[in-house]
Amino acid sequence: VSSAIDETHDPALQSWVDAANHDGCEFPIQNLPFGRFREAADMDWRIGVAIGDQVLDLRRAGLIDSHDMNRLMRLLPAARRDLRAAISAGLSRGGAKEASWRSALVPMSRAEMGLPCMIGDYTDFYIGIHHATAVGKLFRPDNPLLPNYKWVPIGYHGRASTINVSGRDFRRPLGQLKSADAAVPEVAPSRRLDFELELGVFIGRPNPQGQPITIENAEDHVFGLALFNDWSARDIQAWEYQPLGPFLSKNFASTVSPWIVTMEALAPFRRAYGRPSGDPAPLPYLDSPANRAQGAIDVDLEVLLQTARMREAGTAPVAITRSNFADAAYWTIAQLVAHHTINGCSLMNGDLLGTGTLSGADPATAGSLLELTSGGKSPIKVGRDEQRTFLEDGDTIALRGRCRREGFREIGFGECRATVLPAASVSA
Ligand code: MN
């Protein structure tokens, strides 16, 4: 199974790529995430693996024969593990590949990263229970969680066409806004633009329509995880969301990090999955011994903000919140896959599942400004002399993720970053 620990996780393993061995490096030889890169705009995207400050071109290294990431993601779990073992052996210090693979390395500083694969469909879940509770409280102080929350992994179908790779900036959306005291709505740039700290789950292996994926097999269908920012226009959302849920408040832009950290790389960071006493047990199709024993994944998450003024002054981005995937999530990835297909729905190769906002239990560790500012009522302090309720033009948000466990090498997710550009004019 993908959660098995093997010799590729050995913390003593070192690479002949020196930077990979440095303390704090996000891409040591124990990580080996997959991404798509090119060295010039007129070149084809190629498949690379991050190692230290370099990208290993898998085709040039003779490991694969195509540039098609989606095809690679369709590999059976055993073939995925074999490929990981071959990359690990070839990059290990003292291995036989150093001489031949040197020419297959491209410095990250020279690699432009693309979306990690062709994304088919995109579904966004709502598994952050502290987020669901805090947002629910803004509307229903006495009864924040709706009665279905602990039974059904809540989600909505999003749109893949406007998912961008990290580094692609986007315009503040225009939309219909209606303030409580206005008689009619107006079309204007969103004034309540927010980020959502999420993880993205990439589906590798599809299921035929009508054949649900069981929770026991669910992770065979998952290739890996990336950081995901589901930018949200809260004012557009508030006016449009009833009765069918989010629509244009969510699909103007989403940002995903370029590297997919594989389920195999995450094996040492698995955690038991359980629920607070008194909560209902998941229905049988959402429950298994393996899911209880190690269904959760321990990922430390962080959100950094750099305002335009900070950038001009040369001030580094500041952390505005921190949380943890396992602590925030009420459901596991295997449960999401099993639930999504229980009705016979097909998940396709390259599909992306967003987890939903991963807020910590403490309000100061929330994964969105909506929560951090109590619905826009209490600004947060940013840097030395600025504050924010929602995002302003020129603000850059970067998500980061790290996995740490005693006795294992720390691995990272890289960065998921974009800057808010001014809205287009309304008449355009
Ligand atoms: Mn979301």
Side-chain angles (χ1 to χ4, degrees):
V1 291
S2 58
S3 55
I5 292 173
D6 59 29
E7 68 282 357
T8 66
H9 304 102
D10 181 351
L13 212 55
Q14 299 240 314
S15 175
W16 48 263
V17 178
D18 287 331
N21 308 320
H22 296 169
D23 269 354
C25 173
E26 291 195 274
F27 307 118
I29 193 167
Q30 291 80 0
N31 192 347
L32 306 177
F34 291 81
R36 291 198 300 173
F37 76 100
R38 63 187 180 189
E39 291 172 83
D42 59 353
M43 290 173 74
D44 289 334
W45 295 108
R46 305 172 72 90
I47 301 176
V49 161
I51 179 75
D53 56 358
Q54 306 286 316
V55 180
L56 177 73
D57 182 328
L58 290 195
R59 191 161 175 226
R60 238 183 273 167
L63 287 161
I64 54 173
D65 56 10
S66 99
H67 294 313
D68 186 343
M69 181 72 96
N70 291 70
R71 197 171 120 189
L72 186 151
M73 290 166 66
R74 214 176 279 126
L75 287 175
L76 285 161
R80 260 161 40 187
R81 274 197 306 282
D82 289 349
L83 177 60
R84 175 178 167 85
I87 298 168
S88 175
L91 287 171
S92 315
R93 183 175 280 167
K97 294 290 187 188
E98 177 170 354
S100 56
W101 282 10
R102 281 247 176 237
S103 60
L105 291 182
V106 174
M108 276 184 188
S109 57
R110 283 216 330 258
E112 176 196 352
M113 300 305 299
L115 280 173
C117 66
M118 296 292 290
I119 299 172
D121 271 331
Y122 155 53
T123 301
D124 199 27
F125 282 95
Y126 196 54
I127 70 173
I129 190 167
H130 306 301
H131 172 73
T133 305
V135 172
K137 251 181 208 154
L138 297 173
F139 300 99
R140 299 173 301 276
D142 302 328
N143 185 26
L145 277 185
L146 291 168
N148 59 4
Y149 191 84
K150 294 181 177 178
W151 297 97
V152 175
I154 302 296
Y156 67 93
H157 282 121
R159 193 170 169 81
S161 61
T162 20
I163 299 175
N164 304 321
V165 71
S166 177
R168 274 269 305 273
D169 301 335
F170 66 94
R171 285 191 182 280
R172 175 182 299 273
L174 298 171
Q176 277 203 29
L177 320 176
K178 186 188 164 301
S179 51
D181 51 359
V184 294
E186 57 173 331
V187 180
S190 170
R191 291 187 280 270
R192 289 162 70 91
L193 181 61
D194 202 352
F195 65 86
E196 288 191 340
L197 169 61
E198 305 196 15
L199 285 166
V201 180
F202 280 97
I203 299 298
R205 296 187 58 73
N207 66 300
Q209 184 177 346
Q211 293 183 28
I213 299 171
T214 64
I215 191 163
E216 289 82 4
N217 294 330
E219 289 193 8
D220 289 353
H221 294 260
V222 176
F223 186 70
L225 307 185
L227 301 165
F228 187 69
N229 186 344
D230 177 27
W231 304 95
S232 299
R234 302 300 180 193
D235 38 10
I236 299 173
Q237 187 178 355
W239 173 234
E240 75 172 6
Y241 86 103
Q242 285 176 316
L244 288 185
F247 181 36
L248 302 180
S249 56
K250 297 278 192 175
N251 67 8
F252 56 92
S254 312
T255 307
V256 67
S257 56
W259 296 109
I260 304 179
V261 177
T262 63
M263 295 305 280
E264 288 75 22
L266 293 166
F269 310 103
R270 305 302 296 245
R271 251 210 237 168
Y273 165 76
R275 291 179 158 192
S277 60
D279 279 14
L283 290 173
Y285 80 100
L286 297 174
D287 187 29
S288 77
N291 190 59
R292 269 173 265 145
Q294 50 177 19
I297 307 179
D298 197 346
V299 186
D300 288 330
L301 298 163
E302 184 176 48
V303 180
L304 300 146
L305 169 62
Q306 188 184 43
T307 68
R309 252 166 69 191
M310 291 165 68
R311 195 175 313 108
E312 282 153 23
T315 310
V318 290
I320 55 171
T321 189
R322 290 188 175 89
S323 72
N324 176 281
F325 180 34
D327 295 341
Y330 194 72
W331 300 96
T332 65
I333 290 169
Q335 288 171 325
L336 300 187
V337 170
H339 181 66
H340 206 311
T341 60
I342 184 66
N343 64 345
C345 173
S346 286
L347 288 177
M348 302 300 284
N349 169 258
D351 280 3
L352 180 64
L353 312 182
T355 56
T357 307
L358 298 170
S359 298
D362 177 343
T365 63
S368 72
L369 285 169
L370 182 70
E371 297 156 81
L372 290 169
T373 66
S374 307
K377 288 197 277 290
S378 317
I380 54 164
K381 202 171 170 300
V382 176
R384 205 164 295 157
D385 54 358
E386 288 186 90
Q387 58 177 40
R388 286 290 181 277
T389 48
F390 291 98
L391 296 170
E392 296 186 9
D393 293 348
D395 284 353
T396 301
I397 289 285
L399 315 183
R400 312 286 311 218
R402 293 250 182 188
C403 296
R404 305 175 173 94
R405 185 177 156 198
E406 189 68 36
F408 288 90
R409 188 70 200 267
E410 177 178 327
I411 64 172
F413 279 72
E415 192 174 56
C416 177
R417 172 178 49 84
T419 300
V420 179
L421 304 174
S425 64
V426 178
S427 57

